[in-house]
């Protein structure tokens, strides 16, 4: 009596076809599904803004535009803006007497945005500033080297 | 017409069938009959698609309270509670920024029993995190991960990760301050491989961090896309994964011959009056299931097997644990409401911005280095734990608490080392700061590689390797390492919870926090 099952036919065309079509369908489906999470156009709020600094703003004092994660300064050399998004994990840092402090994980930055303490890996980026008709134009999407200050033309 | 006297009225048989229908419906639904004999009690289990994840009989060793403390069942019970209450909450919850916050307020203040449901959901989730950790500790300290249960331990690690993922995605949904800043921090932890790629200046070509962040948020900012993704993960993807893993986890227990127990479990058990074993002595004949399985049938050639039917012994115990878990969750829900902070404000984080308690240890670690604390060390810990069953191939002490070389005295010393090292490292950092404060110009890679978190991991690792050498046993090293990790987790969590104030500074108590 034979107990072993019949061996599979060597060229089981139907079986191989279903196996490979299933495998390739899964592979292509997976590739397509992987593209799904990233839309071709990503909506985001406008990053450019215009503002007028108050006349009374003392030199080196931070002005925080409402609803924006940045601090704008004016001193004798010009106007400059520093992003207040912590380079560590994205909390919004607060300007204080020594520079900036982060409420989430305790990073500290000096007046120019350089890291003095804590886990932040990089300095706070400086944002592009242009002055036109007494208004300050800032683009959050563009960074400039630290120390770049805009002067009235 | 036939003259037979047994001729019945035309509808008599129909009426009989109608009268018998309820009983027959019941009989065909539950085909085994009443579970009153050993045989029908077995059919009760394997005739039921849900119950047959269990074995039909269970060893008496397993039913002792001290064998498991019911922690796995308690975790399952907590999950079932969150499942039911979560579905109910979905009737009113609307996953859209700001609207979500209002709908949680509706659930809390307007919907009848809504506040209670939300409280139970939140408390059961907390209970689940606690019990899943304790359950893992139980499995570890009784060496239950050993052959043939190695892979079930790995699946257990997956269950731990999914449980934490469910908690994380869950507390984002109310769209309050905690939720918003938790998404922000979580998404940036996903992005934190940039800490390394930036330092090596290869981000332009190789940016796994940016990819992960984009995948989570679906946008450059934390907004509606991010909320709907976390919602989808929370109510659909992660629960499905969890249920799948749980089914495998349970089924493998059965396939592995029940829970781990010592080889001499039968000698250690006292005979229990009233519970009789099926085979009172080793049968003289041997049996073989020809052509189906190799080898002898499992019960052949053994003495009294000391098992009892799962119905009712195991199921009633499980039901008891389920009810106890429910009682605890309901009691906690009556005593304490689930928190809801102010509406999310993208320009002002809370100060301090604290995650729920079970992530505060992690928050303490990311406060040293985002990549190391958020991704590096958790990966090392998970990989280390997952490897334990493949490195510990010993057999001494399986199924016994703190079994193996060293035993409880070793664990006691490991507790001292684990608590001591973590408290010393924390105290040093709080008192003297770290590299960044001493040498502000040092490169980020140095801080990433050499921070208090990695130092602590190194100390624990070295101690464990020393134990392996000292006891000539991998199990001894594993006992030390696991105990140390537990201690480190506890210390970091307690520091994050009670001793961190505004700007993540150290304070002895919240009463010393500066007012502003």
């Amino acid at each position: 009596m034979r107990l072993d099952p019949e061996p599979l036919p060597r060229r089981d065309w139907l079986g191989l076809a279903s196996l490979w079509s299933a495998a390739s369908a899964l592979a292509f489906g997976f590739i397509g599904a992987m593209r799904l999470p990233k839309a071709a156009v990503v909506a985001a709020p406008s990053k450019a803004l215009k503002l007028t600094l108050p006349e009374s703003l003392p030199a080196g004092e931070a002005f925080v535009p409402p609803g924006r994660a940045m601090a704008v300064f004016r001193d004798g050399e010009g106007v400059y803006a520093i992003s207040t998004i912590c380079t560590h994990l994205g909390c919004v840092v607060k300007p204080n007497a020594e520079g900036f402090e982060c409420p989430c994980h305790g990073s500290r930055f000096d007046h120019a945005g350089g890291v003095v303490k804590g886990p932040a890996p990089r300095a706070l980026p400086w944002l592009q500033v242009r002055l036109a008709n007494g208004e300050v134009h800032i683009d959050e999407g563009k960074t400039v080297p630290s120390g770049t200050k805009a002067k009235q033309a | 017409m036939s003259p037979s006297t047994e001729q019945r009225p035309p509808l008599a048989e129909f009426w009989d069938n109608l009268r018998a229908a309820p009983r027959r419906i019941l009989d065909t639904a539950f085909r085994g009959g009443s579970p009153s004999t050993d045989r029908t009690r077995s059919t009760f289990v394997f005739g039921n698609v849900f119950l047959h994840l269990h074995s039909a009989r269970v060893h008496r060793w397993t039913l002792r309270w001290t064998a498991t403390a019911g922690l796995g069942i308690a975790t399952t019970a907590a999950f079932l509670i969150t499942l039911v209450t979560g579905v109910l909450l979905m009737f009113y919850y609307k996953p859209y920024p700001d609207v979500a916050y209002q709908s949680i307020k509706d659930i809390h203040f307007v919907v009848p029993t809504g506040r209670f449901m939300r409280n139970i959901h939140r408390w059961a989730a907390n209970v689940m995190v606690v019990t899943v950790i304790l359950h893992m500790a139980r499995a570890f300290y009784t060496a239950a991960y050993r052959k043939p249960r190695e892979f079930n331990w790995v699946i257990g690690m997956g269950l731990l990760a999914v449980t934490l993922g469910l908690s994380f995605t869950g507390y984002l949904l109310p769209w309050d301050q905690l939720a918003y800043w938790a998404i922000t921090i979580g998404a940036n932890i996903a992005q934190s491989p940039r800490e390394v790629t930036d330092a090596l200046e290869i981000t332009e070509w190789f940016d796994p961090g940016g990819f992960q962040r984009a995948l989570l948020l679906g946008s450059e900012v934390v907004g509606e896309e991010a909320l709907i993704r976390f919602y989808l993960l929370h109510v659909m993807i992660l629960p499905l994964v969890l249920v799948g893993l749980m089914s495998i986890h349970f089924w493998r227990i059965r396939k592995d011959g029940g829970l781990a127990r010592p080889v001499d479990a039968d000698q250690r058990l006292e005979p229990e009056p009233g519970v009789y074993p099926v085979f009172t002595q080793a049968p003289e004949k041997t049996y073989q299931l020809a052509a189906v399985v190799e080898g002898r049938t499992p019960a052949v050639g053994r003495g009294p097997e000391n098992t009892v039917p799962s119905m009712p012994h195991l199921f009633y115990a499980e039901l008891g644990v389920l009810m106890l878990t429910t009682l605890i969750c309901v009691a906690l829900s009556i005593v304490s409401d689930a928190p809801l902070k102010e509406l999310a404000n993208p320009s002002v984080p809370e100060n301090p911005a604290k995650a729920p308690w079970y992530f505060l240890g992690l928050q303490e670690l990311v406060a040293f280095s985002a990549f190391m604390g958020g991704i590096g060390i958790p990966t090392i810990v998970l990989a280390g734990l997952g490897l334990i069953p493949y490195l510990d191939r010993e057999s001494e002490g399986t199924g016994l608490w703190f079994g193996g070389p060293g035993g409880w005295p070793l664990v006691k010393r490991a507790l001292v080392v684990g608590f001591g090292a973590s408290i010393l490292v924390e105290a040093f950092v709080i008192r003297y700061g770290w590299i960044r404060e001493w040498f502000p110009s040092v490169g980020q890679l140095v801080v990433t590689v050499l921070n208090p978190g990695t130092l602590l991991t190194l100390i624990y690792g070295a101690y464990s390797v020393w134990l392996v050498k000292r006891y000539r046993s991998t199990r001894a090293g594993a006992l030390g390492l696991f105990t140390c990790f537990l201690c480190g987790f506890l210390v970091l969590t307690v520091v994050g919870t009670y001793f961190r104030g505004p700007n993540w500074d150290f304070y002895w108590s919240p009463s010393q926090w500066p007012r502003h």
Side-chain angles (χ1 to χ4, degrees), chain A residues 54-81:
Chain A
E55 286 300 325
S56 58
L57 187 71
E61 186 98 344
F63 174 77
V64 179
R68 295 280 178 165
M70 63 171 72
V72 188
F73 300 87
R74 180 169 56 198
D75 61 15
E77 296 165 41
V79 177
Y80 55 102

Side-chain angles (χ1 to χ4, degrees), chain B residues 184-515:
Chain B
T184 306
I185 292 172
N188 282 308
I189 287 179
Q191 195 190 34
S192 66
R194 274 202 186 164
E195 191 178 306
V196 177
T197 54
D198 275 351
L200 299 171
E201 300 183 349
I202 54 168
T203 308
E204 212 176 312
W205 303 285
F206 179 69
D207 184 17
F211 172 78
Q212 294 190 113
R213 180 186 155 95
L215 195 70
L216 273 181
L217 295 189
S219 162
E220 285 176 30
V221 292
V222 176
E224 59 205 61
E225 300 289 341
L227 181 53
I228 199 84
R229 276 177 198 210
F230 279 94
Y231 178 67
L232 179 70
L233 281 171
H234 186 72
V235 305
M236 183 60 72
I237 297 177
L238 292 179
L240 279 180
V241 173
L242 193 76
V243 168
L245 287 178
M246 275 168 93
S247 312
I248 302 172
H249 200 64
F250 299 159
W251 183 73
R252 284 185 88 111
I253 296 173
R254 192 190 112 185
K255 287 283 132 181
D256 294 339
L259 300 186
R261 54 181 180 271
V263 192
D264 55 349
D266 293 326
Q267 284 84 57
R268 287 165 179 268
L269 280 175
E270 313 243 315
E272 196 172 325
V275 180
Y276 60 92
V278 183
F279 302 109
T280 46
Q281 51 186 272
E284 282 164 16
K285 281 184 186 171
T286 62
Y287 303 87
Q288 196 163 14
L289 297 169
V292 179
V293 289
E294 286 179 4
R296 312 275 179 210
T297 49
V300 168
R302 303 217 193 123
E305 57 168 21
N306 246 326
T307 62
V308 291
S310 293
M311 174 71 203
H313 298 279
L314 176 61
F315 294 154
Y316 281 18
E318 289 184 348
L319 197 63
V321 174
L322 173 77
M323 293 321 294
L324 187 65
T325 313
T326 312
L327 179 75
I328 291 170
C329 294
V330 167
L332 287 168
S333 309
I334 291 170
V335 174
S336 155
D337 278 348
L340 185 65
K341 311 224 164 171
E342 306 96 83
L343 179 65
N345 180 354
S347 45
V348 184
E350 287 203 308
N351 194 358
K354 286 201 182 188
W357 64 267
Y358 39 84
F359 283 129
L360 285 180
L362 209 61
Q363 191 166 352
E364 187 69 17
L365 282 179
V366 296
F368 302 141
S369 153
F371 174 71
M372 252 320 154
I375 295 182
I377 294 174
T379 309
I380 293 171
V381 171
L382 277 183
L385 290 175
L387 267 178
I388 284 177
Y390 297 98
L391 302 180
D392 169 15
R393 311 300 290 175
E394 296 157 27
S395 57
E396 188 191 330
T398 302
L400 296 173
W401 279 93
F402 311 109
W408 172 236
L410 185 158
V411 174
K412 268 195 291 192
R413 283 197 294 278
L415 282 172
V416 175
V417 172
F419 280 124
S422 49
I423 291 172
L424 276 180
V425 168
E426 274 289 340
F428 180 84
V429 175
I430 288 165
R431 180 72 182 80
Y432 298 105
W434 200 250
I435 300 176
R436 185 52 61 55
E437 282 103 300
W438 310 330
F439 316 104
S441 57
V442 82
Q444 177 56 34
L445 268 189
V446 178
V447 181
T448 302
V449 174
L450 252 186
N451 66 55
T454 51
L455 179 70
L456 198 57
T457 315
L458 267 179
I459 295 174
Y460 288 165
Y463 174 62
S464 144
V465 170
W466 178 79
L467 283 175
V468 172
K469 221 175 115 192
R470 158 97 164 65
Y471 287 88
R472 297 171 189 281
S473 152
T474 315
R475 169 68 178 167
L479 275 174
L481 191 65
F482 189 87
T483 311
C484 282
F485 276 151
L486 273 189
C487 296
F489 174 77
L490 263 175
V491 167
L492 290 177
T493 305
V494 167
V495 170
T497 309
Y498 296 107
F499 298 111
R500 291 293 184 182
N503 301 329
W504 211 245
D505 284 331
F506 178 84
Y507 292 94
W508 281 108
S509 105
S511 61
Q512 300 173 334
W513 291 7
R515 293 176 204 290

